[in-house]
């Protein structure tokens, strides 16, 4: 997914457009000078905001207008039309706002105004003074950003055992790995951000223990950091297999920027790669390797890639898509050994490989929570407010298992957007907001020029309704359980994907 450039299409909104040309509940893409601007109408109110999403530049005019918000078609960010604030991740930065004026039955866009985020927890009620975040990933970063957005002026210490500041992890298997994204796309923010926002980001800092009574965390170097509220956002780590040859230097996993750079370095002198595992990450890696001209073989035990999560129809489509790009699958087979030059499969087949990438899933990093005695149930158990079994300690992202109001189950997912949104809600609750986490789970995956969007959560389904044509890349798949739609996957049906998200939100509100 490339970042769209802000293009100035449509009418010059400073010259005004006829009121009747914008029906209630619709949007119009235009421009003000060099700025692409979206004009939206809700009843007799008109709003003008930046036309491109601040995540990857998605065209907001092709998204969905809901009340006084607009949702991005690409990865479901949501912006306030009144203030420009990014209300739902993955966008974190606001869009600009312009004032509008109604005159002579025309609507004119006037002055540009700074976005003004809403402070949801009155500063006087923000009782915590020192907040420690363990983890410099999606959830940890989004939490820190939200704390400062809420004008929290106490200490924020972010401890990460990574050597790199928070990065746009989804890019590491997509454009960046494929060689299509410049280096500056990778960090979520430049170093200035942490300095200006007074966020004490400490890299290469492993938290080894938590003392609940003393309210301190201990670091690998023996030092301690005190906290009033603590957020655990330690994420997940790639699963490794008990295979001969797993520790050879040409066998890679992919989680961090360093991992990604090591794979990119390997592509420089190689021709052939074996990807073990047809997971989302495994297949995205295969696609990126093809973009670099590397022969890619994918080995996986399942009959079809992605079948367990998306069903057989999408599985067959994804397989064909990758085969059209030259990927060679070895399905219903497993790797039994790796040596310096090849991978041996259970079937007896051997595949020449200059390097190997393991994409067989991740496991949540729970050691710290387990050692601290927090309640664990295939993840860190949190309540609706994302608080763990210990008061004042919250958890978010890949480690958190939360009571999902949409499925009625306690679930744990490994989605970028969910991690960010949980980090944000945990931040509000650390300040005393008492806001339940009720976002509908959402993820996306990208294979060549085909994006797959998924809202909801379906561990199982008893009916799958396909609308459209999967092979034509124009479809919506509804996963039903007991007659109820529990998840929706789509390819190039963005508005329907957004509508499904809104429907699920409203169903949960009504119940
Ligand atoms: C290559 C790749 C591509 C992906 N693509 C997508 C995608 O397209 N769509 C999607 O929805 N999801 C995607 N994901 C998944 C998504 O990135 C994760 O769900 C998300 O990053 C989880 O956020 P998190 O904050 O829980 O964990 P992370 O982002 O992993 O952050 C965890 C942080 O905790 C640190 N840490 C862990 N333990 C300690 C400790 N003891 N002390 C100090 N620091 C510690 C780690 O170094 C890291 O900084 C992708 C993941 C990868 C790896
Ligand atoms: S481009 Fe808008 S959410 Fe990603």
């Amino acid at each position: 997914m490339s970042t769209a450039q802000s293009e100035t299409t449509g009418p010059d909104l400073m010259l005004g457009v006829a009121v009747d040309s914008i029906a209630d509940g619709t949007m119009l893409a235009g421009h003000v000078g060099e700025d692409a601007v979206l004009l939206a109408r809700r009843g007799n109110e008109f709003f003008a905001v930046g036309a491109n999403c601040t995540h990857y530049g998605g065209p907001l005019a092709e998204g969905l207008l809901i009340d006084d918000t607009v949702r991005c078609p690409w990865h479901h960010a949501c912006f306030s039309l009144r203030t420009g604030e990014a209300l739902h991740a993955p966008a974190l930065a606001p869009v600009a706002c312009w004032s509008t004026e109604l005159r002579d039955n025309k609507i004119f866009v006037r002055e540009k105004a700074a976005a003004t985020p809403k402070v949801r927890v009155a500063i006087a009620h923000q009782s915590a003074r020192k907040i420690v975040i363990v983890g410099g990933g999606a959830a940890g970063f989004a939490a820190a950003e939200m704390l400062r957005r809420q004008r929290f002026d106490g200490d924020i210490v972010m401890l990460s055992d990574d050597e790199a500041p928070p990065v746009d992890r989804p890019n590491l298997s997509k454009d960046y790995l494929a060689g299509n994204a410049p280096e500056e796309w990778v960090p979520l923010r430049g170093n200035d951000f942490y300095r200006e926002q007074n966020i004490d980001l400490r890299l290469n800092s492993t938290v080894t223990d938590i003392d609940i009574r003393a309210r301190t965390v201990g670091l690998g170097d023996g030092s301690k950091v005190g906290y009033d509220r603590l957020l655990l956002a330690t994420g997940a780590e790639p699963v490794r297999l008990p295979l001969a040859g797993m520790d050879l230097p040409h066998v890679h996993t992919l989680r961090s920027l360093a991992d990604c750079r090591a794979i990119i370095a390997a592509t420089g002198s190689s021709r052939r790669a074996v990807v073990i595992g047809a997971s989302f990450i495994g297949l995205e890696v295969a696609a990126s390797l093809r973009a670099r001209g590397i022969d890619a073989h994918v080995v996986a035990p399942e009959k079809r890639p992605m079948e367990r999560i998306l069903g057989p129809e999408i599985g067959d489509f994804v397989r064909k898509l990758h085969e059209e790009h030259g990927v060679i699958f070895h399905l219903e087979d497993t790797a039994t050994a790796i040596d310096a030059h090849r991978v041996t499969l259970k079937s007896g087949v051997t595949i020449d490989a200059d390097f190997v990438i393991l994409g067989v899933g991740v496991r949540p990093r729970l050691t710290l929570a387990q050692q601290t005695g927090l309640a664990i149930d295939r993840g860190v158990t949190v309540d609706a407010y994302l608080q763990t079994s210990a008061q004042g300690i919250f958890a978010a992202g890949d480690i958190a298992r939360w009571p999902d109001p949409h499925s009625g189950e306690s679930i744990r997912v490994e989605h970028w957007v969910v991690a960010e949104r949980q980090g944000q809600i945990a931040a509000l609750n650390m300040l005393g907001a008492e806001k339940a986490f009720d976002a509908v789970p959402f993820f996306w995956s990208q294979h060549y020029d085909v994006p797959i969007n998924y809202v909801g959560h379906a561990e199982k389904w008893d009916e799958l309704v396909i609308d459209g044509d999967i092979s034509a890349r124009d479809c919506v798949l509804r996963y039903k359980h007991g007659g109820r739609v529990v998840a929706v996957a789509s390819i190039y049906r963005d508005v329907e994907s957004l509508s499904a998200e809104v429907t699920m939100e409203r169903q949960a509100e009504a119940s």
Side-chain angles (χ1 to χ4, degrees):
M1 177 75 58
S2 300
T3 298
Q5 294 306 309
S6 175
E7 285 166 10
T8 51
T9 52
D12 182 343
L13 300 172
M14 286 182 90
L15 300 178
V17 288
V19 166
D20 295 345
S21 65
I22 311 177
D24 184 13
T26 65
M27 303 183 275
L28 174 72
H31 65 99
V32 172
E34 295 289 297
D35 291 321
V37 173
L38 176 79
L39 185 60
R41 178 175 185 175
R42 179 56 72 201
N44 287 327
E45 279 190 290
F46 292 86
F47 304 98
V49 298
N52 289 93
C53 176
T54 56
H55 179 227
Y56 289 169
L60 296 179
E62 294 170 25
L64 194 64
L65 193 63
I66 297 290
D67 304 326
D68 57 357
T69 68
V70 60
R71 297 192 187 204
C72 177
W74 287 357
H75 317 112
H76 292 207
C78 175
F79 296 91
S80 165
L81 291 169
R82 291 185 191 282
T83 66
E85 184 179 2
L87 299 172
H88 299 176
L92 300 173
V95 286
C97 293
W98 280 259
S99 60
T100 59
E101 186 189 354
L102 180 62
R103 191 158 51 84
D104 303 333
N105 244 1
K106 276 179 135 186
I107 187 81
F108 295 84
V109 175
R110 300 291 194 209
E111 303 295 317
K112 196 172 184 175
T116 45
K118 185 173 162 197
V119 175
R120 291 169 181 80
V121 190
I123 292 158
H125 294 119
Q126 297 181 2
S127 54
R129 295 308 305 152
K130 185 156 189 169
I131 293 181
V132 171
I133 298 169
V134 186
F141 178 84
E145 195 275 343
M146 180 54 83
L147 288 169
R148 287 296 183 236
R149 214 195 284 184
Q150 293 300 305
R151 300 202 218 136
F152 170 66
D153 64 356
D155 294 347
I156 303 175
V157 181
M158 197 194 291
L159 302 163
S160 173
D161 67 358
D162 201 341
E163 63 188 24
V167 294
D168 184 6
R169 215 176 289 293
N171 226 320
L172 301 183
S173 51
K174 304 180 183 67
D175 281 337
Y176 185 68
L177 183 59
N180 298 329
E183 196 72 26
E184 61 263 27
W185 283 12
V186 175
L188 288 178
R189 290 288 183 279
N191 289 334
D192 291 358
F193 171 83
Y194 302 95
R195 202 171 42 249
E196 285 162 10
Q197 296 293 318
N198 195 16
I199 294 168
D200 183 2
L201 171 62
R202 301 191 200 169
L203 301 174
N204 300 305
S205 298
T206 306
V207 175
T208 53
D209 61 274
I210 300 168
D211 184 335
I212 293 184
R213 277 209 191 149
R215 293 202 165 220
T216 57
V217 299
L219 301 183
D221 63 5
S223 63
K224 295 204 177 301
V225 182
Y227 67 85
D228 295 328
R229 302 281 184 279
L230 178 65
L231 175 63
L232 297 181
T234 48
E237 62 197 348
V239 169
R240 296 183 72 80
L241 296 173
L243 272 189
M246 189 82 302
D247 295 329
L248 290 168
H250 71 307
V251 179
H252 301 266
T253 54
L254 176 56
R255 185 76 189 180
S256 65
L257 178 57
D259 296 338
C260 186
R261 286 188 172 140
I263 295 170
I264 292 170
T267 63
S269 54
S270 308
R271 230 169 26 84
R272 298 157 305 191
V274 169
V275 177
I276 300 178
S279 61
F280 286 96
I281 290 178
L283 290 179
E284 288 181 353
V285 166
S288 296
L289 294 179
R290 292 301 301 134
R292 287 181 180 268
I294 303 286
D295 291 349
H297 289 252
V298 174
V299 179
E302 55 264 40
K303 201 170 165 194
R304 296 181 180 90
M306 298 183 183
E307 179 173 8
R308 190 179 60 78
I309 296 171
L310 295 173
E313 294 82 359
I314 291 254
D316 284 338
F317 164 74
V318 166
R319 176 185 178 159
K320 192 158 170 280
L321 175 67
H322 280 271
E323 285 175 340
E324 282 165 6
H325 285 83
V327 173
I328 297 165
F329 283 95
H330 304 265
L331 297 170
E332 297 182 271
D333 211 343
T334 49
T336 51
I338 303 170
D339 68 26
H341 303 292
R342 67 194 63 80
V343 176
T344 304
L345 309 189
K346 196 174 172 192
S347 61
V349 168
T350 56
I351 313 168
D352 290 343
D354 301 319
F355 65 104
V356 176
I357 295 157
L358 207 57
V360 293
V362 296
R363 82 166 57 87
R365 294 180 72 177
L366 303 176
T367 313
L368 194 56
Q370 262 159 345
Q371 283 170 355
T372 310
L374 302 180
I376 304 280
D377 168 22
R378 296 159 295 149
V380 179
T381 306
V382 293
D383 63 16
Y385 306 98
L386 304 180
Q387 186 162 236
T388 67
S389 55
Q391 219 199 344
I393 303 183
F394 293 75
D398 284 4
I399 58 167
R401 180 171 291 274
W402 83 99
D404 171 41
H406 308 283
S407 59
E409 291 162 15
S410 275
I411 65 172
R412 187 186 71 75
V413 301
E414 290 147 8
H415 306 346
W416 178 257
V417 166
V418 171
E420 288 188 321
R421 293 179 185 175
Q422 288 189 342
Q424 294 176 324
I425 295 297
L428 294 176
N429 290 337
M430 288 193 288
L431 298 180
E434 296 184 21
K435 185 163 171 33
F437 179 75
D438 58 4
V440 176
F442 167 80
F443 76 80
W444 83 95
S445 185
Q446 180 86 22
H447 303 260
Y448 312 97
D449 57 344
V450 178
I452 301 174
N453 281 2
Y454 183 98
V455 287
H457 183 77
E459 273 171 28
K460 53 183 184 300
W461 61 89
D462 48 33
E463 193 185 352
L464 173 51
V465 182
I466 302 174
D467 175 8
D469 183 349
I470 298 177
S471 59
R473 304 160 183 208
D474 173 29
C475 58
V476 177
L477 288 86
R478 293 187 173 80
Y479 303 80
K480 293 182 162 186
H481 194 246
R484 204 168 70 88
V485 176
V486 287
V488 173
S490 62
I491 299 174
Y492 288 120
R493 290 277 194 97
D494 294 332
V495 170
E496 280 165 85
S497 174
L498 285 167
S499 300
E501 180 182 63
V502 173
T503 303
M504 288 181 201
E505 285 170 5
R506 289 184 174 161
Q507 279 166 349
E509 275 163 22
S511 62

